[in-house]
């Protein structure tokens, strides 16, 4: 049994593009590969280069780092935060060639993870991105073929 509610047998996933200033250069490739892997693991769909009955394309539209939790008890740190939030958003176009009413355009999917300011961002960045992607992949899957 798969988590897919579609009679389609193929899906075409185009290379995503990075439309952000802060994201790592390889983030679009990483996300595209993760999305392909997710569909292959969680459905019986075959990922194809061209002519997929289902088609997904999109962009990494946001990669934002913001302070979120003020530090308490330190008067010198009145402008600093104890926690910082990494937010990633992707914008998706989905074409369902079997059930066109299920298609959508420019739908955003985002998620975030918070981390302690005492942590070195570059040493945890890849892990944060992976955790954020995991949730975004679930949301995209559910919005396209998960029938949620």
């Amino acid at each position: 049994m798969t988590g897919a509610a579609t009679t389609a047998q193929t899906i075409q996933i185009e290379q995503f593009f990075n439309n952000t200033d802060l994201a790592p250069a390889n983030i679009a490739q990483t996300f595209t590969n993760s999305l392909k892997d997710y569909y292959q693991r969680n459905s019986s769909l075959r990922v194809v280069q061209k002519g997929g009955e289902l088609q997904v394309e999109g962009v990494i539209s946001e990669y934002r780092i913001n302070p979120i939790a003020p530090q308490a008890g330190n008067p010198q740190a009145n402008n600093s935060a104890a926690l910082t939030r990494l937010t990633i958003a992707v914008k998706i176009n989905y074409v369902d060639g079997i059930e066109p009413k299920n298609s959508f355009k420019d739908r955003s999917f985002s998620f975030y993870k918070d981390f302690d300011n005492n942590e070195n961002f570059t040493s945890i960045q890849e892990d944060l991105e992976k955790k954020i992607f995991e949730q975004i992949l679930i949301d995209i899957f559910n919005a396209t073929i998960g029938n949620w």
Side-chain angles (χ1 to χ4, degrees):
M1 167 139 178
T2 70
T6 181
T7 59
Q9 296 185 14
T10 59
I11 187 166
Q12 177 181 331
I13 299 174
E14 295 295 329
Q15 175 64 46
F16 276 63
F17 293 97
N18 178 10
N19 280 357
T20 71
D21 293 330
L22 293 177
N26 67 340
I27 196 166
Q29 182 68 47
T30 301
F31 185 80
T32 303
N33 290 340
S34 297
L35 188 60
K36 288 177 181 179
D37 290 345
Y38 192 87
Y39 277 97
Q40 289 175 323
R41 280 193 323 267
N42 294 286
S43 74
S44 59
L45 291 170
R46 228 174 358 99
V47 175
V48 296
Q49 295 288 326
K50 291 185 176 195
E53 294 166 295
L54 309 177
Q55 298 175 6
V56 177
E57 66 176 15
V59 297
I60 309 292
S61 57
E62 183 179 357
Y63 191 98
R64 188 177 64 226
I65 302 169
N66 292 91
I68 59 160
Q71 286 184 337
N74 185 353
Q76 278 77 32
N78 57 356
N79 287 333
S80 67
L83 292 176
T84 300
R85 175 170 290 169
L86 172 61
T87 303
I88 300 175
V90 298
K91 194 175 283 189
I92 302 287
N93 294 327
Y94 171 65
V95 176
D96 186 331
I98 305 293
E99 293 287 336
K101 67 179 174 37
N102 293 334
S103 300
F104 56 80
K105 189 172 179 70
D106 291 333
R107 186 179 297 180
S108 287
F109 298 86
S110 67
F111 201 67
Y112 64 87
K113 281 291 178 189
D114 300 336
F115 60 95
D116 191 298
N117 272 355
N118 293 326
E119 295 184 79
N120 179 340
F121 178 69
T122 55
S123 67
I124 61 171
Q125 182 176 8
E126 192 175 315
D127 188 53
L128 291 170
E129 290 167 357
K130 183 179 178 190
K131 289 176 180 173
I132 292 169
F133 282 173
E134 286 172 0
Q135 185 60 52
I136 292 174
L137 295 172
I138 290 167
D139 292 345
I140 291 170
F141 183 89
N142 288 340
T144 55
I145 65 169
N147 205 17
W148 289 97

